[in-house]
């Protein structure tokens, strides 16, 4: 296969994509396949001789789509969305064609500069002041890891990177029990250790209690441990719990701690001014991550981290060996110094295309619709006999359950085998609950109201 063949096959792929998207509503949302089924259809060993693309393409059509879960399905209400607008798909196609490695300004001047401008556009879109600059990561997990490594090095006076962690004081990181497992992963990878991630008590609304945070920090100081940072959540994954940013940040700041906010899902909603009360006080934090690849329609992967001052993170992560220096251009930004991996994809392009193709108004309308349709779906589900709403909608996420755990699990299995919609579960205060989050880029009110219809059919 050569580049002339690629042009032909790209057109075939584009036609396939159009038909695939047009037919999504007729497909079951969750992959209806058993473990091992796809692998059993593939040869165990790689081919020695080249094969015609026609054959490869035909095998793709025969084996893959039917065994996939359809994340762009308009009735995908599981987990959180991973939306890919058509404009972001187009941008990815162009980025793929250039296949650039965007580690340095010099290796990708336009990519670096569009990334800087996109971070600034998003900062304005979210209503943040020009106190923040930022960068694009592959995922929120990596952004949070970058923040935790920065907390570690800042607290150790940058001795961890040079001397290692043996013999260093015991560092402490604080987060609520509602925070995402990526925080646990970050403290493990950073060598801080799971036991030093303090899960601070939450209030009746599952938000971190600032008084409990203060008490935990003081207790650690008394015990000779070294508090390093606080991680707050806005729209946590389970039920959308949100910490009071202003009050918790004030406590952290009083103790000189670094503050990172995980708004991976809910951050996108902040393009709508009416939701910004949720993160009141956000201007006082050091670092903040949100995923345009969730609710904003920018194809995975695209996670944006805002930083009040990039210097501590660049000091933690940046290395400039001789072969990576950009001679004679000391003033340019080399974004690899802001992130964990050296190599970087051209992720800013799909932000540029998406923000322009829909405009902030188009994106706001989608999010507002999702929030109001979630409220409608909540009311319709609450009216079904035997079903109890367990947590009320936070933005477009709420949970429900039957009164018996086995019945809840059984209902979820039957919903997902039915295929008209796709929901997933979490455990809230020990209770198995079914999550509903409304977020597919192209869903309609009808699509959302399918959820109560399916539940009515299956609980009758
Ligand atoms: C999805 C999510 C993450 C993880 O995001 P990745 O980009 O997949 O790493 C972290 N925190 C919250 C609150 C999330 O919703």
């Amino acid at each position: 296969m050569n580049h002339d063949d690629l042009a032909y096959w790209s057109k075939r792929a584009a036609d396939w994509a159009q038909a695939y998207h047009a037919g999504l509503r007729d497909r079951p949302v969750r992959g209806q396949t058993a473990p091992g089924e796809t692998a059993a259809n593939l040869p165990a060993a790689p081919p020695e001789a080249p094969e015609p693309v026609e054959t490869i393409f035909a095998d793709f059509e025969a084996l893959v789509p039917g065994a996939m879960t359809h994340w762009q399905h308009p009735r995908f209400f599981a987990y959180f969305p991973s939306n890919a607008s058509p404009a972001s798909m187009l941008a990815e196609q162009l980025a793929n064609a250039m296949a650039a490695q965007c580690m340095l300004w010099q290796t990708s001047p336009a990519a670096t500069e569009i990334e800087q401008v996109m971070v600034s556009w998003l900062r304005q879109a979210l209503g943040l002041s020009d106190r923040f600059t930022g960068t694009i990561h592959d995922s929120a997990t990596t952004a949070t890891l970058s923040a935790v490594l920065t907390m570690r090095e800042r607290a150790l006076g940058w001795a961890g990177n040079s001397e290692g962690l043996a013999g260093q004081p015991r560092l402490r990181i604080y987060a609520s029990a509602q925070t995402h497992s990526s925080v646990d992963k970050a403290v493990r990878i950073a060598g801080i250790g799971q036991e030093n991630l303090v899960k601070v008590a939450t209030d009746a609304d599952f938000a971190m209690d600032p008084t409990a945070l203060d008490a935990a920090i003081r207790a650690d100081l008394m015990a000779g441990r070294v508090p390093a940072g606080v991680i707050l959540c806005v729209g946590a994954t389970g039920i959308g719990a949100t910490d009071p940013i202003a009050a918790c940040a004030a406590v952290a700041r009083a103790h000189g701690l670094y503050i990172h906010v995980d708004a991976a899902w809910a951050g996108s909603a902040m393009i709508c001014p009416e939701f910004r009360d949720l993160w009141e006080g956000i201007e006082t934090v050091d670092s903040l991550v949100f995923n345009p690849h969730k609710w904003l329609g920018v194809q995975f992967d695209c996670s944006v981290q805002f930083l009040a001052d990039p210097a501590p993170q660049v000091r933690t992560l940046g290395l400039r060996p001789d072969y990576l220096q950009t001679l004679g251009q000391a003033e340019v930004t080399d974004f690899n110094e802001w992130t964990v991996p050296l190599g970087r994809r051209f992720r800013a392009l799909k932000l540029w295309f998406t923000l322009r193709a829909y405009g902030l108004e188009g994106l706001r309308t989608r999010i507002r619709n999702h929030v109001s349709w979630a409220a409608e779906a909540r009311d319709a589900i609450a009216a079904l006999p035997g079903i109890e709403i367990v947590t009320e909608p936070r933005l477009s996420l709420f949970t429900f359950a039957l009164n018996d755990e086995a019945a809840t699990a059984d209902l979820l299995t039957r919903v997902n085998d039915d295929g008209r919609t796709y929901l997933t579960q979490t455990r809230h205060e020990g209770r198995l609950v079914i999550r509903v989050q409304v977020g597919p880029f192209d869903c309609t009110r009808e699509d959302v109201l399918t959820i109560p219809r399916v539940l009515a059919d299956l609980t009758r």
Side-chain angles (χ1 to χ4, degrees):
M1 182 167 173
N2 61 35
H3 279 281
D4 294 334
D5 299 328
L6 179 61
Y8 168 79
W9 284 105
S10 294
K11 289 180 192 101
R12 280 277 297 268
D15 291 342
W16 182 88
Q18 185 185 16
Y20 168 76
H21 280 274
L24 269 181
R25 278 195 178 80
D26 302 326
R27 290 181 183 268
V29 188
R30 195 194 57 181
Q32 306 287 327
T33 181
E37 215 174 303
T38 302
N41 284 323
L42 304 181
E48 289 293 341
E51 294 187 62
V53 180
E54 191 75 61
T55 313
I56 304 170
F57 200 93
D59 284 346
F60 162 78
E61 290 190 280
L63 298 180
V64 178
M68 286 297 281
T69 293
H70 302 289
W71 282 77
Q72 304 314 316
H73 197 298
R75 293 191 301 270
F76 180 105
F77 304 116
Y79 305 99
F80 278 139
S82 188
N83 286 342
S85 68
S88 78
M89 290 179 171
L90 175 62
E92 280 288 66
Q93 229 174 307
L94 299 172
N96 282 344
M98 291 180 285
Q101 221 283 29
C102 307
M103 57 188 181
L104 306 171
W105 178 87
Q106 182 170 268
T107 66
S108 54
T112 299
E113 294 181 19
I114 293 175
E115 179 162 342
Q116 289 172 311
V117 175
M118 288 309 105
V119 167
S120 164
W121 280 15
L122 285 173
R123 175 183 67 64
Q124 298 169 58
L126 267 49
L128 299 170
S129 76
D130 62 7
R131 175 173 180 264
F132 290 102
T133 172
T135 190
I136 305 177
H137 296 261
D138 55 353
S139 65
T141 301
T142 317
T144 294
L145 173 62
S146 304
V148 168
L149 290 167
T150 303
M151 290 172 186
R152 184 191 80 189
E153 286 308 294
R154 194 174 157 274
L156 294 178
W158 281 271
N161 274 350
S162 51
E163 297 165 17
L165 300 180
Q168 302 291 357
R170 187 165 166 187
L171 300 182
R172 304 288 268 180
I173 306 278
Y174 308 84
S176 93
Q178 294 285 330
T179 42
H180 188 265
S181 58
S182 56
V183 174
D184 302 72
K185 191 180 260 191
V187 297
R188 292 175 181 207
I189 298 174
I192 291 170
Q194 182 80 57
E195 287 174 11
N196 293 310
L197 174 60
V198 181
K199 298 278 172 88
V200 179
T202 51
D203 64 16
D205 208 25
F206 309 100
M208 187 190 281
D209 175 356
T211 315
L213 172 64
D214 190 56
I217 295 170
R218 286 176 193 281
D220 280 335
L221 287 168
M222 293 285 287
R225 302 169 190 140
V226 177
V230 175
I231 297 170
L232 303 172
C233 57
V234 176
T237 312
I239 60 149
T242 297
D243 296 325
I245 303 297
C248 292
V251 169
R253 172 103 24 239
H255 291 285
L257 306 193
Y258 195 82
I259 307 161
H260 172 68
V261 172
D262 177 4
W265 162 65
S268 293
M270 302 308 167
I271 63 171
C272 306
E274 69 269 29
F275 299 132
R276 290 182 193 153
D277 286 353
L278 269 181
W279 72 5
E280 208 236 301
I282 196 70
E283 285 295 328
T284 63
V285 310
D286 298 298
S287 164
L288 153 66
V289 65
F290 94 106
N291 284 349
H293 72 222
K294 276 184 171 152
W295 208 358
L296 215 54
V298 181
Q299 166 146 19
F300 187 83
D301 49 0
C302 183
S303 187
V304 172
Q305 183 190 18
F306 294 103
L307 290 160
D309 175 11
Q313 185 160 314
V314 171
R315 185 163 174 194
T316 300
L317 301 178
L319 282 173
R320 210 174 277 189
D322 293 336
Y323 47 79
L324 290 181
Q325 291 185 9
T326 302
L327 297 176
Q329 278 170 327
E331 77 284 3
V332 298
T333 295
D334 291 331
F335 270 126
N336 79 83
E337 297 178 359
W338 298 46
T339 56
V340 174
L342 171 62
R344 315 175 82 247
R345 303 178 58 240
F346 189 173
R347 300 190 182 94
L349 197 66
K350 54 195 172 187
L351 269 168
W352 193 41
F353 274 52
T354 301
L355 292 173
R356 295 180 64 189
Y358 307 99
L360 291 177
E361 263 317 319
L363 298 170
R364 283 188 199 109
T365 300
R366 283 178 168 81
I367 286 174
R368 286 173 177 146
N369 281 340
H370 296 168
V371 171
S372 78
W373 296 337
E376 273 190 72
R378 176 255 175 244
D379 291 345
I381 291 171
L384 297 172
I387 296 190
E388 180 197 342
I389 302 296
V390 178
T391 61
E392 293 295 333
R394 291 158 197 258
L395 297 171
S396 65
L397 169 67
F398 63 94
T399 64
F400 68 90
L402 304 180
N403 54 20
D404 169 71
E405 171 139 346
T408 303
D410 177 64
L411 175 61
L412 182 61
T413 303
R414 287 187 297 125
V415 166
N416 294 334
D417 287 345
D418 173 271
R420 278 176 285 172
T421 181
Y422 179 26
L423 305 176
T424 46
Q425 78 294 327
T426 190
R427 201 165 276 284
H428 180 65
E429 295 199 289
R431 181 174 185 190
L432 182 74
V433 296
I434 299 177
R435 294 169 76 256
V436 175
Q437 73 72 28
V438 177
F441 199 71
D442 285 323
C443 74
T444 62
R445 179 171 171 273
E446 264 308 291
D447 287 319
V448 178
L449 295 179
T450 304
I451 307 167
R453 267 199 296 280
V454 169
L455 294 172
D457 290 350
L458 297 178
T459 54
R460 210 186 320 275

